[in-house]
C-alpha cells in the first residue's frame, strides 16, 4: 500500500519524536560517513539543524498519515529550491535517501515490517524526488551577494544595516529572506527586510541581539561597511488586503521591520484602509524608528501609530545612543505590556490583524486578542520557529 498505508506511515512518524534526538543524530552521522562531501555544507554546531530536521520529518509524515499531500509537496519543493544556496548537488539527495533509509531500518528494529519498508521506500522517494526536481527546474539565482554600506548602532543591542545588492532581489512586502554573513559562514538566518524591494538593489535590515545567538551578535557588534553578505529567499506571506477592511498591526522591537515594509508599500496608494500600529519595546529609547514612522504618518492620514514601552523611564545607557523622540504628532506613548495595551481598546475583531516580534510576544498578543473575541482566522504572523 505504501503511501496509502496509514498504520505504516504512523510508525515512521513516531520514529521522529518531537523531543527525541537519537535517530536524527544517527542519521547525520551515517550520512556524513557515507558521503564525506556533505559535512562541509553544514555549520560546525549542528543542534539547531538536527532539531529543525526532526520537526520537519515529524510534520511531513503526519501530513502523509492524514493523507494530505499538497502542503508536503509544496514544502519539499521550496526546500529543494532553498537548499541550492547551501551547495547541495543532485547526488546528495541520493546519499541522503540511502542514509535515512538505513538509519530508520536500524532504529525501528522489529517494527520494520514489509509494510513499513514499502511506506519508507515510497515516502523517501517522494521526499528526495520532489526536492531534487524543484532544485533542478529553478532557473533563478540561488542567492544574491551584497555590500554593507551603513551600520548604525541605534541602541545597546540593536542595529540598522543597509546593503547594496549586486543585483535586485524580488520579494513581496512582509516576506523574510535568508542571510549569511562573513563572520558566521554556513550559518544562515532569517531576517525581514525593512523596506520594499528596490529595483536599484538597496535593502535594509533591523537586527536585535538574541541571547546566545552567534549571528545576531556578530551583526550588531562586528558588522562593518564593506562586509559582503549573501541573501537568499524569499519566504512568508504576511500581507494587507487593501479591500479587506481596516488593519491592526502589533510590532515588538525589530518585529517592526516587515510591518514597516507593508506600510511603506501602502503609501504608494492614495486610498488605503485605516492602519493602527502599536510599536512596543522595553524602554522608550528602544523605540528606534519613531521618527520614520512619524514622517510616514504625517503624510498618510490613514496611518496611526501608538508607541508603547514596558517601563516609563529610560536606563542610564540610553544617553549613549540617538534620541528617538519624534516631533509632536504621533499618539501619546503608553506604558505597559504590549498585549495588555493593545487589548485595552477591545478585541479588534473587525480588523485584519498582523503581529510581528519575538515568539513569546506573538503568542501572548495572539492569545490576548482571541480571549477578547478576535477571530483567529483574522490574525497573521510569521512562523514562530523558522
Amino acid at each position: 500500500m505504501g503511501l496509502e498505508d496509514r498504520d505504516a506511515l504512523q510508525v515512521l512518524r513516531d520514529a521522529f519524536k518531537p523531543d527525541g534526538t537519537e535517530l536524527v543524530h544517527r542519521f547525520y552521522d551515517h550520512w556524513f560517513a557515507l558521503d564525506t562531501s556533505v559535512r562541509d555544507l553544514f555549520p560546525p554546531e549542528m543542534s539547531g539543524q538536527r532539531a529543525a530536521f526532526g520537526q520537519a520529518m515529524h510534520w511531513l509524515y503526519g501530513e502523509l498519515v492524514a493523507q494530505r499531500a499538497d502542503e508536503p509537496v509544496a514544502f519539499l519543493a521550496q526546500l529543494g529550491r532553498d537548499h541550492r544556496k547551501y551547495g547541495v548537488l543532485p547526488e546528495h539527495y541520493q546519499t541522503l535517501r540511502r542514509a535515512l533509509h538505513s538509519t530508520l531500518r536500524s532504529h525501528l528494529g522489529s517494527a520494520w515490517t514489509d509494510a513499513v519498508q514499502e511506506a519508507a521506500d515510497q515516502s523517501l522517494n517522494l521526499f528526495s524526488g520532489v526536492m531534487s526536481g524543484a532544485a533542478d527546474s529553478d532557473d533563478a539565482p540561488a542567492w544574491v551577494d551584497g555590500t554593507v554600506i551603513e551600520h548604525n548602532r541605534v541602541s545597546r543591542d540593536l542595529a540598522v544595516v543597509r546593503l547594496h545588492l549586486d543585483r535586485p532581489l524580488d520579494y513581496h512586502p512582509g516576506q523574510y529572506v535568508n542571510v549569511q554573513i562573513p563572520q558566521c559562514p554556513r550559518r544562515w538566518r532569517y531576517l525581514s527586510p525593512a523596506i520594499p524591494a528596490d529595483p536599484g538593489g538597496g535593502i535594509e535590515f533591523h537586527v536585535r541581539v538574541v541571547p546566545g545567538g552567534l549571528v545576531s551578535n556578530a551583526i550588531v557588534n562586528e558588522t562593518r561597511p564593506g562586509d559582503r553578505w549573501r541573501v537568499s529567499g524569499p519566504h512568508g506571506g504576511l500581507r494587507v488586503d487593501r479591500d479587506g477592511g481596516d488593519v491592526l498591526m502589533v510590532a515588538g522591537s525589530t518585529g517592526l521591520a516587515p510591518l514597516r515594509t507593508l506600510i511603506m508599500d501602502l503609501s504608494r496608494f492614495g486610498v488605503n484602509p485605516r492602519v493602527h500600529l502599536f510599536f512596543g519595546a522595553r524602554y522608550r529609547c528602544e523605540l528606534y524608528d519613531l521618527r520614520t514612522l512619524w514622517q510616514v504618518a504625517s503624510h498618510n492620514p490613514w496611518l496611526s501609530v501608538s508607541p508603547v514601552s514596558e517601563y516609563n523611564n529610560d536606563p542610564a545607557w540610553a544617553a549613549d545612543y540617538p534620541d528617538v523622540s519624534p516631533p509632536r504628532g504621533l499618539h501619546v506613548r503608553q506604558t505597559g505590556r504590549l498585549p495588555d495595551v493593545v487589548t485595552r481598546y477591545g478585541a479588534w475583531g473587525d480588523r485584519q490583524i498582523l503581529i510581528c516580534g519575538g515568539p513569546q510576544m506573538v503568542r501572548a498578543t495572539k492569545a490576548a486578542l482571541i480571549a477578547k473575541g478576535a477571530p483567529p482566522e483574522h490574525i497573521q504572523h510569521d512562523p514562530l520557529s523558522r
Side-chain angles (χ1 to χ4, degrees), residues 69-384:
D70 290 348
E71 285 196 38
V73 168
F75 172 76
L76 290 162
Q78 185 64 55
L79 274 184
R81 291 188 289 268
D82 289 347
H83 277 60
R84 295 179 304 141
K85 67 178 178 285
Y86 299 117
V88 174
L89 301 174
E91 53 266 29
H92 292 145
Y93 290 108
Q94 298 308 311
T95 58
L96 178 147
R97 184 201 175 285
R98 287 165 52 196
L100 193 49
H101 188 281
S102 176
T103 306
L104 278 167
R105 181 171 185 169
S106 173
H107 180 81
L108 289 172
S110 60
W112 184 265
T113 63
D114 289 343
V116 171
Q117 176 167 326
E118 184 177 1
D121 287 342
Q122 293 189 18
S123 60
L124 295 180
N125 284 341
L126 172 69
F127 297 166
S128 59
V130 171
M131 291 179 69
S132 180
D136 187 56
S137 63
D138 194 342
D139 295 329
W143 63 75
V144 56
D145 291 330
T147 302
V148 174
I149 56 175
E150 287 186 49
H151 178 275
N152 297 319
R153 189 74 170 266
V154 294
S155 185
R156 183 172 62 171
D157 60 356
L158 198 153
V160 172
V161 185
R162 298 185 178 97
L163 294 92
H164 184 267
L165 302 176
D166 294 350
R167 56 179 177 272
L169 181 68
D170 188 28
Y171 56 86
H172 297 299
Q175 289 191 301
Y176 53 91
V177 298
N178 223 348
V179 173
Q180 180 183 244
I181 64 172
Q183 292 85 354
C184 301
R186 303 196 304 277
R187 295 181 185 274
W188 291 81
R189 291 295 181 271
Y190 289 116
L191 297 177
S192 295
I195 60 173
D198 176 12
I203 196 166
E204 176 178 316
F205 298 107
H206 300 172
V207 183
R208 184 176 180 179
V209 168
V210 176
L214 292 176
V215 176
S216 63
N217 272 276
I219 291 174
V220 173
N221 296 309
E222 301 174 24
T223 294
R224 299 290 182 269
D227 285 357
R228 294 283 288 171
W229 285 21
R230 181 158 288 178
V231 184
S232 176
H235 301 268
L238 284 179
R239 61 185 296 271
V240 170
D241 180 356
R242 294 182 57 244
D243 298 317
D246 293 339
V247 182
L248 167 68
M249 295 183 175
V250 185
S253 186
T254 54
L256 175 66
L259 302 183
R260 179 188 197 262
T261 308
L262 285 163
I263 289 170
M264 288 184 168
D265 185 65
L266 287 172
S267 67
R268 297 184 300 121
F269 303 97
V271 178
N272 282 308
R274 289 181 301 161
V275 176
H276 194 117
L277 167 67
F278 287 88
F279 176 32
R282 294 168 302 180
Y283 302 105
R284 291 180 300 172
C285 64
E286 294 179 315
L287 296 167
Y288 63 95
D289 209 38
L290 283 183
R291 289 180 177 270
T292 301
L293 295 173
W294 177 86
Q295 280 190 319
V296 177
S298 67
H299 291 91
N300 295 279
W302 47 264
L303 176 63
S304 300
V305 180
S306 292
V308 181
S309 62
E310 291 188 29
Y311 304 103
N312 199 36
N313 297 315
D314 280 338
W317 52 258
D320 297 332
Y321 299 97
D323 179 11
V324 303
S325 302
R328 296 175 63 87
L330 247 66
H331 282 195
V332 175
R333 183 185 57 83
Q334 300 177 68
T335 305
R337 294 176 62 251
L338 198 49
D340 298 334
V341 173
V342 172
T343 54
R344 196 180 296 161
Y345 292 86
W348 304 87
D350 60 339
R351 304 289 182 109
Q352 303 177 65
I353 301 173
L354 289 76
I355 311 172
C356 293
Q360 185 175 353
M361 186 282 288
V362 172
R363 290 189 186 98
T365 304
K366 182 178 181 180
L369 286 165
I370 291 173
K372 279 280 190 175
E377 62 271 18
H378 288 190
I379 300 174
Q380 301 178 55
H381 57 81
D382 280 332
L384 297 179

